[in-house]
Amino acid sequence: MNDYAAPKTLHIARKLLSLLGKIQVTDDDDNVVYEAAAQWRWFIRPWRITQNDREVAVVRRKFLSFAPTWYVHTNDENFELRGKLWSWRRQVAVVGGRFDGAILRGGLWDMGFELSRHGQVMARAQARIMTLRTRHSIELLDASPQAELLTVILMTTLVEQKSEESKLGTAADPSPHG
């Protein structure tokens, strides 16, 4: 008998028609595995990530930061996510916690991402094009629940960051179609 197990696959997308911009992470059967929702606050809105209606992480973007930085609090640890400025490809590093040194690197057009630590690939994500909303399929190569949660946190911040960038781009577009 073959002991090889196929990597777990998750899918992440912003929920349609959500005032707070909920983000859902589903499995291959379209069951919601994680959900992320912004909380109402002035200036910085923390994101609450839940699994089966139980809070598993809170992600808060650092206010007035030159480089994109997020503070993450999970049930068993705290760490930071730091984005790299002035790069052709999106890059976010994990600082602190059990996955200190892990890096999420994006492709040139934000279509594909790879999460690795010390040369070991933990997860890969690929955008699905021709869909109503931006959706990424995530292949988890590290089967641990902690690596799964880290991947969900990183991809949630990525989806939110891309959404904020598109809003800023639309607001700055003087064309009548913007």
Side-chain angles (χ1 to χ4, degrees), residues 20-32:
L20 290 175
K22 281 187 181 178
I23 297 170
Q24 290 184 328
V25 178
T26 57
D27 61 15
D28 283 331
D29 296 325
D30 221 21
N31 299 315
V32 176

Side-chain angles (χ1 to χ4, degrees), residues 6-147:
K8 184 176 182 179
T9 303
L10 299 175
H11 310 278
I12 185 167
R14 184 170 291 285
K15 187 176 177 183
L16 290 176
L17 304 174
S18 172
L19 290 175
L20 290 175
K22 281 187 181 178
I23 297 170
Q24 290 184 328
V25 178
T26 57
D27 61 15
D28 283 331
D29 296 325
D30 221 21
N31 299 315
V32 176
V33 181
Y34 294 92
E35 191 167 68
Q39 306 297 301
W40 284 105
R41 297 275 161 77
W42 292 99
F43 302 112
I44 299 298
R45 297 181 314 165
W47 280 79
R48 183 175 170 254
I49 299 175
T50 59
Q51 182 180 32
N52 300 322
D53 294 324
R54 186 177 64 87
E55 185 177 285
V56 292
V58 175
V59 181
R60 184 175 46 87
R61 187 157 183 172
K62 183 177 179 183
F63 188 60
L64 298 176
S65 172
F66 186 66
T69 303
W70 298 266
Y71 299 116
V72 180
H73 171 73
T74 67
N75 294 335
D76 60 349
E77 67 179 340
N78 298 312
F79 56 92
E80 290 182 22
L81 304 176
R82 292 187 188 156
K84 183 176 180 180
L85 283 178
W86 316 113
S87 175
W88 287 102
R89 298 166 194 247
R90 195 177 305 265
Q91 184 172 309
V92 179
V94 177
V95 179
R98 73 173 53 92
F99 292 108
D100 184 53
I103 298 175
L104 178 73
R105 288 186 178 91
L108 194 54
W109 289 282
D110 280 350
M111 298 300 287
F113 294 89
E114 187 173 272
L115 174 61
S116 62
R117 181 170 180 249
H118 304 303
Q120 183 75 26
V121 178
M122 298 169 61
R124 288 190 180 100
Q126 187 66 39
R128 296 172 88 190
I129 56 174
M130 305 301 285
T131 60
L132 188 57
R133 55 195 170 156
T134 302
R135 183 176 167 106
H136 286 82
S137 293
I138 306 164
E139 181 183 27
L140 297 168
L141 303 172
D142 181 330
S144 72
Q146 296 87 0

